[in-house]
mmCIF file of all heavy atoms in Angstrom:
data_model
loop_
_atom_site.group_PDB
_atom_site.id
_atom_site.type_symbol
_atom_site.label_atom_id
_atom_site.label_comp_id
_atom_site.label_asym_id
_atom_site.label_seq_id
_atom_site.Cartn_x
_atom_site.Cartn_y
_atom_site.Cartn_z
ATOM 1 N N THR A 1 133.172 148.197 65.102
ATOM 2 C CA THR A 1 134.220 147.520 65.865
ATOM 3 C C THR A 1 134.978 148.654 66.639
ATOM 4 O O THR A 1 134.720 149.861 66.489
ATOM 5 C CB THR A 1 135.221 146.809 64.947
ATOM 6 O OG1 THR A 1 135.645 147.702 63.921
ATOM 7 C CG2 THR A 1 134.554 145.603 64.326
ATOM 8 N N CYS A 2 135.940 148.239 67.476
ATOM 9 C CA CYS A 2 136.530 149.213 68.414
ATOM 10 C C CYS A 2 138.113 149.111 68.377
ATOM 11 O O CYS A 2 138.635 148.106 68.050
ATOM 12 C CB CYS A 2 136.076 148.971 69.803
ATOM 13 S SG CYS A 2 134.275 149.014 70.005
ATOM 14 N N VAL A 3 138.710 150.249 68.744
ATOM 15 C CA VAL A 3 140.152 150.299 68.984
ATOM 16 C C VAL A 3 140.378 150.384 70.454
ATOM 17 O O VAL A 3 139.906 151.368 71.137
ATOM 18 C CB VAL A 3 140.783 151.461 68.280
ATOM 19 C CG1 VAL A 3 142.268 151.596 68.549
ATOM 20 C CG2 VAL A 3 140.595 151.379 66.777
ATOM 21 N N PRO A 4 141.033 149.418 71.116
ATOM 22 C CA PRO A 4 141.199 149.468 72.572
ATOM 23 C C PRO A 4 142.502 150.204 72.958
ATOM 24 O O PRO A 4 143.570 150.017 72.421
ATOM 25 C CB PRO A 4 141.389 147.999 72.884
ATOM 26 C CG PRO A 4 142.027 147.357 71.683
ATOM 27 C CD PRO A 4 141.537 148.136 70.492
ATOM 28 N N LEU A 5 142.357 151.127 73.926
ATOM 29 C CA LEU A 5 143.427 151.816 74.526
ATOM 30 C C LEU A 5 143.314 151.811 76.027
ATOM 31 O O LEU A 5 142.863 152.783 76.644
ATOM 32 C CB LEU A 5 143.528 153.263 73.974
ATOM 33 C CG LEU A 5 144.721 154.122 74.372
ATOM 34 C CD1 LEU A 5 145.949 153.640 73.602
ATOM 35 C CD2 LEU A 5 144.494 155.596 74.097
ATOM 36 N N PRO A 6 143.723 150.692 76.603
ATOM 37 C CA PRO A 6 143.452 150.458 78.083
ATOM 38 C C PRO A 6 144.454 151.185 78.978
ATOM 39 O O PRO A 6 144.994 150.599 79.917
ATOM 40 C CB PRO A 6 143.568 148.959 78.218
ATOM 41 C CG PRO A 6 144.576 148.559 77.225
ATOM 42 C CD PRO A 6 144.361 149.511 76.042
ATOM 43 N N LEU A 7 144.674 152.468 78.724
ATOM 44 C CA LEU A 7 145.556 153.262 79.534
ATOM 45 C C LEU A 7 144.776 154.318 80.317
ATOM 46 O O LEU A 7 143.943 154.982 79.732
ATOM 47 C CB LEU A 7 146.601 153.973 78.640
ATOM 48 C CG LEU A 7 147.534 153.071 77.754
ATOM 49 C CD1 LEU A 7 148.373 153.917 76.844
ATOM 50 C CD2 LEU A 7 148.384 152.165 78.642
ATOM 51 N N GLU A 8 145.100 154.508 81.550
ATOM 52 C CA GLU A 8 144.440 155.483 82.369
ATOM 53 C C GLU A 8 145.193 156.831 82.290
ATOM 54 O O GLU A 8 146.399 156.840 81.978
ATOM 55 C CB GLU A 8 144.324 155.033 83.811
ATOM 56 C CG GLU A 8 143.435 153.834 83.971
ATOM 57 C CD GLU A 8 143.152 153.448 85.458
ATOM 58 O OE1 GLU A 8 143.688 154.110 86.338
ATOM 59 O OE2 GLU A 8 142.361 152.537 85.647
ATOM 60 N N ASN A 9 144.498 157.911 82.564
ATOM 61 C CA ASN A 9 145.108 159.249 82.638
ATOM 62 C C ASN A 9 145.786 159.691 81.390
ATOM 63 O O ASN A 9 146.842 160.291 81.383
ATOM 64 C CB ASN A 9 146.092 159.319 83.829
ATOM 65 C CG ASN A 9 145.449 158.861 85.115
ATOM 66 O OD1 ASN A 9 144.411 159.344 85.541
ATOM 67 N ND2 ASN A 9 146.136 157.945 85.888
ATOM 68 N N VAL A 10 145.166 159.320 80.250
ATOM 69 C CA VAL A 10 145.680 159.855 78.940
ATOM 70 C C VAL A 10 145.398 161.318 78.824
ATOM 71 O O VAL A 10 144.266 161.720 78.797
ATOM 72 C CB VAL A 10 145.081 159.056 77.775
ATOM 73 C CG1 VAL A 10 145.521 159.632 76.427
ATOM 74 C CG2 VAL A 10 145.459 157.512 77.848
ATOM 75 N N ASP A 11 146.493 162.083 78.797
ATOM 76 C CA ASP A 11 146.211 163.558 78.790
ATOM 77 C C ASP A 11 146.268 164.110 77.306
ATOM 78 O O ASP A 11 146.660 163.384 76.414
ATOM 79 C CB ASP A 11 147.232 164.315 79.675
ATOM 80 C CG ASP A 11 148.671 164.202 79.287
ATOM 81 O OD1 ASP A 11 148.950 164.220 78.066
ATOM 82 O OD2 ASP A 11 149.562 164.167 80.165
ATOM 83 N N THR A 12 145.909 165.325 77.173
ATOM 84 C CA THR A 12 145.791 165.976 75.852
ATOM 85 C C THR A 12 147.113 166.082 75.183
ATOM 86 O O THR A 12 147.213 166.152 73.917
ATOM 87 C CB THR A 12 145.114 167.328 75.936
ATOM 88 O OG1 THR A 12 145.753 168.164 76.897
ATOM 89 C CG2 THR A 12 143.620 167.139 76.330
ATOM 90 N N ASP A 13 148.269 166.153 75.946
ATOM 91 C CA ASP A 13 149.567 166.253 75.252
ATOM 92 C C ASP A 13 149.924 164.883 74.664
ATOM 93 O O ASP A 13 150.698 164.853 73.702
ATOM 94 C CB ASP A 13 150.631 166.674 76.290
ATOM 95 C CG ASP A 13 151.931 167.060 75.619
ATOM 96 O OD1 ASP A 13 151.909 167.925 74.712
ATOM 97 O OD2 ASP A 13 152.995 166.463 75.937
ATOM 98 N N GLN A 14 149.455 163.845 75.230
ATOM 99 C CA GLN A 14 149.635 162.529 74.612
ATOM 100 C C GLN A 14 148.722 162.336 73.417
ATOM 101 O O GLN A 14 149.078 161.673 72.400
ATOM 102 C CB GLN A 14 149.433 161.393 75.672
ATOM 103 C CG GLN A 14 150.493 161.442 76.768
ATOM 104 C CD GLN A 14 150.052 160.744 78.051
ATOM 105 O OE1 GLN A 14 148.858 160.663 78.396
ATOM 106 N NE2 GLN A 14 151.053 160.230 78.805
ATOM 107 N N ILE A 15 147.507 162.894 73.497
ATOM 108 C CA ILE A 15 146.599 162.791 72.366
ATOM 109 C C ILE A 15 147.157 163.565 71.132
ATOM 110 O O ILE A 15 147.167 163.065 70.058
ATOM 111 C CB ILE A 15 145.222 163.326 72.766
ATOM 112 C CG1 ILE A 15 144.581 162.402 73.858
ATOM 113 C CG2 ILE A 15 144.261 163.346 71.564
ATOM 114 C CD1 ILE A 15 143.311 163.021 74.460
ATOM 115 N N ILE A 16 147.606 164.791 71.423
ATOM 116 C CA ILE A 16 148.285 165.605 70.301
ATOM 117 C C ILE A 16 149.331 166.431 70.950
ATOM 118 O O ILE A 16 149.053 167.370 71.706
ATOM 119 C CB ILE A 16 147.193 166.464 69.541
ATOM 120 C CG1 ILE A 16 147.872 167.125 68.324
ATOM 121 C CG2 ILE A 16 146.505 167.460 70.455
ATOM 122 C CD1 ILE A 16 148.169 166.269 67.191
ATOM 123 N N PRO A 17 150.592 166.135 70.740
ATOM 124 C CA PRO A 17 151.711 166.811 71.402
ATOM 125 C C PRO A 17 151.680 168.345 71.102
ATOM 126 O O PRO A 17 151.233 168.798 70.045
ATOM 127 C CB PRO A 17 152.956 166.186 70.814
ATOM 128 C CG PRO A 17 152.467 164.813 70.373
ATOM 129 C CD PRO A 17 151.038 164.986 69.965
ATOM 130 N N ALA A 18 152.248 169.104 72.034
ATOM 131 C CA ALA A 18 152.188 170.559 71.973
ATOM 132 C C ALA A 18 152.844 171.147 70.749
ATOM 133 O O ALA A 18 152.424 172.206 70.273
ATOM 134 C CB ALA A 18 152.886 171.146 73.285
ATOM 135 N N ARG A 19 153.784 170.441 70.199
ATOM 136 C CA ARG A 19 154.505 171.027 68.984
ATOM 137 C C ARG A 19 153.543 171.133 67.802
ATOM 138 O O ARG A 19 153.861 171.818 66.793
ATOM 139 C CB ARG A 19 155.716 170.231 68.657
ATOM 140 C CG ARG A 19 155.434 168.796 68.204
ATOM 141 C CD ARG A 19 156.795 168.033 68.012
ATOM 142 N NE ARG A 19 156.636 166.679 67.602
ATOM 143 C CZ ARG A 19 156.410 165.643 68.455
ATOM 144 N NH1 ARG A 19 156.222 165.901 69.765
ATOM 145 N NH2 ARG A 19 156.300 164.408 68.042
ATOM 146 N N PHE A 20 152.409 170.505 67.867
ATOM 147 C CA PHE A 20 151.420 170.597 66.720
ATOM 148 C C PHE A 20 150.360 171.687 66.977
ATOM 149 O O PHE A 20 149.520 171.873 66.118
ATOM 150 C CB PHE A 20 150.771 169.249 66.502
ATOM 151 C CG PHE A 20 151.722 168.159 66.087
ATOM 152 C CD1 PHE A 20 152.054 167.178 66.979
ATOM 153 C CD2 PHE A 20 152.294 168.141 64.840
ATOM 154 C CE1 PHE A 20 152.905 166.162 66.618
ATOM 155 C CE2 PHE A 20 153.168 167.182 64.419
ATOM 156 C CZ PHE A 20 153.523 166.160 65.364
ATOM 157 N N LEU A 21 150.486 172.448 68.070
ATOM 158 C CA LEU A 21 149.495 173.455 68.386
ATOM 159 C C LEU A 21 149.710 174.719 67.601
ATOM 160 O O LEU A 21 148.860 175.661 67.705
ATOM 161 C CB LEU A 21 149.454 173.700 69.884
ATOM 162 C CG LEU A 21 149.221 172.520 70.759
ATOM 163 C CD1 LEU A 21 148.910 172.992 72.186
ATOM 164 C CD2 LEU A 21 148.098 171.632 70.266
ATOM 165 N N LYS A 22 150.784 174.839 66.843
ATOM 166 C CA LYS A 22 150.977 176.062 66.047
ATOM 167 C C LYS A 22 149.899 176.235 64.973
ATOM 168 O O LYS A 22 149.626 177.357 64.564
ATOM 169 C CB LYS A 22 152.388 176.074 65.412
ATOM 170 C CG LYS A 22 153.475 176.101 66.422
ATOM 171 C CD LYS A 22 154.857 175.967 65.781
ATOM 172 C CE LYS A 22 155.950 175.885 66.836
ATOM 173 N NZ LYS A 22 157.311 175.695 66.226
ATOM 174 N N ALA A 23 149.376 175.138 64.542
ATOM 175 C CA ALA A 23 148.291 175.208 63.550
ATOM 176 C C ALA A 23 147.058 175.812 64.200
ATOM 177 O O ALA A 23 146.623 175.487 65.288
ATOM 178 C CB ALA A 23 147.964 173.832 63.018
ATOM 179 N N THR A 24 146.492 176.855 63.499
ATOM 180 C CA THR A 24 145.335 177.555 64.062
ATOM 181 C C THR A 24 144.048 177.233 63.358
ATOM 182 O O THR A 24 142.967 177.649 63.779
ATOM 183 C CB THR A 24 145.561 179.082 64.020
ATOM 184 O OG1 THR A 24 145.857 179.426 62.637
ATOM 185 C CG2 THR A 24 146.683 179.478 64.924
ATOM 186 N N THR A 25 144.119 176.521 62.248
ATOM 187 C CA THR A 25 142.966 176.056 61.551
ATOM 188 C C THR A 25 142.802 174.564 61.693
ATOM 189 O O THR A 25 143.781 173.831 61.856
ATOM 190 C CB THR A 25 142.999 176.376 60.060
ATOM 191 O OG1 THR A 25 144.146 175.773 59.453
ATOM 192 C CG2 THR A 25 143.068 177.909 59.812
ATOM 193 N N ARG A 26 141.552 174.152 61.634
ATOM 194 C CA ARG A 26 141.250 172.686 61.866
ATOM 195 C C ARG A 26 141.438 171.927 60.550
ATOM 196 O O ARG A 26 140.480 171.773 59.877
ATOM 197 C CB ARG A 26 139.860 172.570 62.486
ATOM 198 C CG ARG A 26 139.515 171.151 62.735
ATOM 199 C CD ARG A 26 138.071 171.042 63.269
ATOM 200 N NE ARG A 26 137.627 169.662 63.163
ATOM 201 C CZ ARG A 26 136.492 169.241 63.624
ATOM 202 N NH1 ARG A 26 135.673 170.079 64.168
ATOM 203 N NH2 ARG A 26 136.143 167.992 63.447
ATOM 204 N N GLU A 27 142.632 171.487 60.326
ATOM 205 C CA GLU A 27 142.887 170.568 59.185
ATOM 206 C C GLU A 27 142.822 169.167 59.686
ATOM 207 O O GLU A 27 143.753 168.665 60.237
ATOM 208 C CB GLU A 27 144.243 170.916 58.533
ATOM 209 C CG GLU A 27 144.340 172.375 58.055
ATOM 210 C CD GLU A 27 145.743 172.776 57.704
ATOM 211 O OE1 GLU A 27 146.507 171.894 57.323
ATOM 212 O OE2 GLU A 27 146.061 173.965 57.836
ATOM 213 N N GLU A 28 141.646 168.546 59.424
ATOM 214 C CA GLU A 28 141.371 167.277 60.084
ATOM 215 C C GLU A 28 142.429 166.198 59.759
ATOM 216 O O GLU A 28 142.871 165.425 60.647
ATOM 217 C CB GLU A 28 139.994 166.734 59.696
ATOM 218 C CG GLU A 28 138.888 167.565 60.363
ATOM 219 C CD GLU A 28 137.562 166.870 60.337
ATOM 220 O OE1 GLU A 28 137.425 165.894 59.553
ATOM 221 O OE2 GLU A 28 136.687 167.322 61.081
ATOM 222 N N LYS A 29 142.877 166.088 58.502
ATOM 223 C CA LYS A 29 143.819 165.103 58.116
ATOM 224 C C LYS A 29 145.136 165.287 58.867
ATOM 225 O O LYS A 29 145.711 164.320 59.354
ATOM 226 C CB LYS A 29 144.060 165.065 56.601
ATOM 227 C CG LYS A 29 144.935 163.878 56.183
ATOM 228 C CD LYS A 29 145.109 163.781 54.701
ATOM 229 C CE LYS A 29 145.777 162.500 54.240
ATOM 230 N NZ LYS A 29 147.029 162.193 55.034
ATOM 231 N N PHE A 30 145.617 166.595 58.992
ATOM 232 C CA PHE A 30 146.867 166.883 59.646
ATOM 233 C C PHE A 30 146.783 166.378 61.084
ATOM 234 O O PHE A 30 147.723 165.685 61.552
ATOM 235 C CB PHE A 30 147.141 168.344 59.592
ATOM 236 C CG PHE A 30 148.322 168.799 60.443
ATOM 237 C CD1 PHE A 30 149.625 168.597 60.064
ATOM 238 C CD2 PHE A 30 148.035 169.375 61.707
ATOM 239 C CE1 PHE A 30 150.667 168.966 60.854
ATOM 240 C CE2 PHE A 30 149.087 169.730 62.458
ATOM 241 C CZ PHE A 30 150.407 169.569 62.067
ATOM 242 N N PHE A 31 145.687 166.763 61.826
ATOM 243 C CA PHE A 31 145.646 166.393 63.216
ATOM 244 C C PHE A 31 145.421 164.904 63.366
ATOM 245 O O PHE A 31 145.914 164.228 64.250
ATOM 246 C CB PHE A 31 144.600 167.245 63.880
ATOM 247 C CG PHE A 31 144.988 168.668 64.109
ATOM 248 C CD1 PHE A 31 144.460 169.668 63.307
ATOM 249 C CD2 PHE A 31 145.865 168.946 65.089
ATOM 250 C CE1 PHE A 31 144.911 171.009 63.522
ATOM 251 C CE2 PHE A 31 146.303 170.280 65.285
ATOM 252 C CZ PHE A 31 145.796 171.271 64.492
ATOM 253 N N GLY A 32 144.528 164.344 62.512
ATOM 254 C CA GLY A 32 144.301 162.847 62.556
ATOM 255 C C GLY A 32 145.575 162.101 62.314
ATOM 256 O O GLY A 32 145.819 161.054 62.992
ATOM 257 N N ASP A 33 146.390 162.540 61.412
ATOM 258 C CA ASP A 33 147.673 161.865 61.125
ATOM 259 C C ASP A 33 148.631 161.948 62.302
ATOM 260 O O ASP A 33 149.554 161.102 62.369
ATOM 261 C CB ASP A 33 148.349 162.482 59.895
ATOM 262 C CG ASP A 33 147.689 162.150 58.587
ATOM 263 O OD1 ASP A 33 146.791 161.189 58.617
ATOM 264 O OD2 ASP A 33 147.983 162.716 57.580
ATOM 265 N N ASN A 34 148.424 162.911 63.199
ATOM 266 C CA ASN A 34 149.333 163.043 64.357
ATOM 267 C C ASN A 34 148.727 162.681 65.679
ATOM 268 O O ASN A 34 149.252 163.010 66.713
ATOM 269 C CB ASN A 34 149.895 164.483 64.325
ATOM 270 C CG ASN A 34 150.893 164.684 63.197
ATOM 271 O OD1 ASN A 34 151.922 164.093 63.161
ATOM 272 N ND2 ASN A 34 150.473 165.516 62.237
ATOM 273 N N LEU A 35 147.503 162.063 65.638
ATOM 274 C CA LEU A 35 146.903 161.556 66.858
ATOM 275 C C LEU A 35 147.857 160.575 67.574
ATOM 276 O O LEU A 35 148.357 159.641 66.874
ATOM 277 C CB LEU A 35 145.560 160.878 66.512
ATOM 278 C CG LEU A 35 144.823 160.179 67.642
ATOM 279 C CD1 LEU A 35 144.379 161.208 68.692
ATOM 280 C CD2 LEU A 35 143.636 159.391 67.083
ATOM 281 N N PHE A 36 148.052 160.749 68.818
ATOM 282 C CA PHE A 36 148.949 159.927 69.635
ATOM 283 C C PHE A 36 150.376 159.800 68.982
ATOM 284 O O PHE A 36 150.993 158.766 68.960
ATOM 285 C CB PHE A 36 148.332 158.528 69.844
ATOM 286 C CG PHE A 36 147.038 158.497 70.516
ATOM 287 C CD1 PHE A 36 145.929 157.931 69.973
ATOM 288 C CD2 PHE A 36 146.938 158.991 71.846
ATOM 289 C CE1 PHE A 36 144.689 157.911 70.611
ATOM 290 C CE2 PHE A 36 145.724 158.971 72.537
ATOM 291 C CZ PHE A 36 144.588 158.440 71.908
ATOM 292 N N ARG A 37 150.830 160.918 68.401
ATOM 293 C CA ARG A 37 152.040 160.979 67.609
ATOM 294 C C ARG A 37 153.246 160.249 68.309
ATOM 295 O O ARG A 37 153.944 159.402 67.685
ATOM 296 C CB ARG A 37 152.411 162.391 67.239
ATOM 297 C CG ARG A 37 153.720 162.529 66.502
ATOM 298 C CD ARG A 37 153.607 162.115 65.035
ATOM 299 N NE ARG A 37 154.910 161.908 64.415
ATOM 300 C CZ ARG A 37 155.081 161.891 63.155
ATOM 301 N NH1 ARG A 37 154.074 162.078 62.306
ATOM 302 N NH2 ARG A 37 156.303 161.681 62.627
ATOM 303 N N ASP A 38 153.481 160.612 69.566
ATOM 304 C CA ASP A 38 154.719 160.091 70.190
ATOM 305 C C ASP A 38 154.597 158.640 70.603
ATOM 306 O O ASP A 38 155.641 158.031 70.883
ATOM 307 C CB ASP A 38 155.051 160.984 71.408
ATOM 308 C CG ASP A 38 155.528 162.380 70.962
ATOM 309 O OD1 ASP A 38 155.887 162.558 69.793
ATOM 310 O OD2 ASP A 38 155.487 163.271 71.789
ATOM 311 N N TRP A 39 153.417 158.097 70.676
ATOM 312 C CA TRP A 39 153.214 156.667 70.933
ATOM 313 C C TRP A 39 153.136 155.892 69.600
ATOM 314 O O TRP A 39 153.570 154.750 69.512
ATOM 315 C CB TRP A 39 151.892 156.436 71.755
ATOM 316 C CG TRP A 39 151.969 156.892 73.125
ATOM 317 C CD1 TRP A 39 153.038 157.192 73.881
ATOM 318 C CD2 TRP A 39 150.821 157.113 74.001
ATOM 319 N NE1 TRP A 39 152.685 157.570 75.117
ATOM 320 C CE2 TRP A 39 151.321 157.537 75.253
ATOM 321 C CE3 TRP A 39 149.452 156.976 73.759
ATOM 322 C CZ2 TRP A 39 150.514 157.793 76.331
ATOM 323 C CZ3 TRP A 39 148.599 157.269 74.880
ATOM 324 C CH2 TRP A 39 149.135 157.676 76.120
#
């Protein structure tokens, strides 16, 4: 099944806001939990 996100021009700052870029290791749960954080 699918998750619909019918928005155009979704940029990487909306996908993961800049304040989360301090992490330098790929902790999947951390980043997954903050996907589209501000929305």
Side-chain angles (χ1 to χ4, degrees):
T1 52
C2 305
V3 175
L5 187 71
L7 301 173
E8 295 189 356
N9 306 311
V10 174
D11 66 38
T12 52
D13 192 56
Q14 292 159 333
I15 296 171
I16 187 74
R19 63 186 179 277
F20 296 108
L21 304 191
K22 293 176 184 176
T24 55
T25 58
R26 180 182 164 175
E27 299 169 28
E28 289 196 348
K29 187 175 188 312
F30 171 78
F31 287 104
D33 286 346
N34 290 294
L35 175 65
F36 300 121
R37 176 75 196 199
D38 292 341
W39 291 342

